[in-house]
Amino acid sequence: MRNQHEPDPRFVDSLEGQLARELRRKKRVGTSPSVRAMKMGSLIAGSVILGAAAMGFTQQLSESWRRELLEARLELQLQLAQQRVEMQLDALGLTRREVEQGVRSDKDLLYFELRIAEAEADARTRALELEELRQSGREPQGVLSAPLVDGRDFVSEKIKVRMQVARHYLELTQGEVELAREQADVGVVSEDQVQARSLVAQEAEAQLQSLAQQLELRSAYLDDELTAVEVELKMLEAEAQSRVVVLRRQSDYFQNELARYQAQVNSGVMHAAALAELSTRVAEVAGQLRLAMAELEIVQRELQRRSTRR
């Protein structure tokens, strides 16, 4: 593949032909060497300028083609997202009828409503990315240090869309926790099942809090309270802190489960294979926790280093 900064071979051949014809013509009319050299220099200079302009045009054409391709891709993704919304709405309508007939439970409706919220959020995000591309002329950006586009904050708008889904998911998980507690009170489910659902709800809450932190950091960056590097490091710190909290909760839960499994294996109620599988899961969570804590330490050390340099 030819490098875009190299001249087109056809252009070079054309230039050589022009130079050869010019030399033959000047030789026939007897132009003096000095005049001939001056005109040759002008011709070469003009050719260089034209060549540079041609390469610049090629680069512009390539960038324009790239934007056009990206826009077409985003348009297609938006259409697919909108179709998924329609499909989920149709599925929700069918589920409602089945609930009325007693075939499905009300709980199934909640899950379909979450899927619709996710599909709608995806469609809204694609629409925002398409608007950003058309207004900025560049690929949409999601980093907190991205610049405004004609005064519009696309980054915060996309975060808020994700927050709507996170809030919906949190409400769903909290409802499951309440239902599990009610069932545990009458002996339908065990207390460890309530704890498992509580863990999921806590993770959903941490996800929503993380998005809220991103909005705060974005606002601080736009208000010049943080530099581009600082805001990205602060985001990494917030994400690492959230992972540490979630993984610690998971570790505590699985440790308790491990003790319960061990007791059941000792009494012969449970097979040892289940205990071995859970032990592997405990080790995995412990490893993830150590990694998250190491990442958090590295980021905080870098933030501290930058703060002392001020």
Side-chain angles (χ1 to χ4, degrees), residues 22 47 92 95 130 157 182 186 196 228 241 269-270:
E22 183 68 14
S47 299
L92 177 63
T95 303
L130 192 56
E157 289 186 44
E182 293 174 0
V186 295
Q241 288 173 334
V269 178
M270 181 179 292

Side-chain angles (χ1 to χ4, degrees), residues 70-82 130:
L70 180 58
E71 182 174 358
R73 186 181 71 183
L74 287 174
E75 287 177 344
L76 178 59
Q77 290 175 342
L78 175 58
Q79 291 175 8
L80 292 173
Q82 291 171 336
L130 192 56

Side-chain angles (χ1 to χ4, degrees), residues 58-76:
T58 301
Q59 292 173 2
Q60 291 178 2
L61 185 63
S62 175
E63 184 64 24
S64 175
W65 175 82
R66 181 176 172 277
R67 285 197 302 268
E68 185 176 348
L69 181 62
L70 180 58
E71 182 174 358
R73 186 181 71 183
L74 287 174
E75 287 177 344
L76 178 59

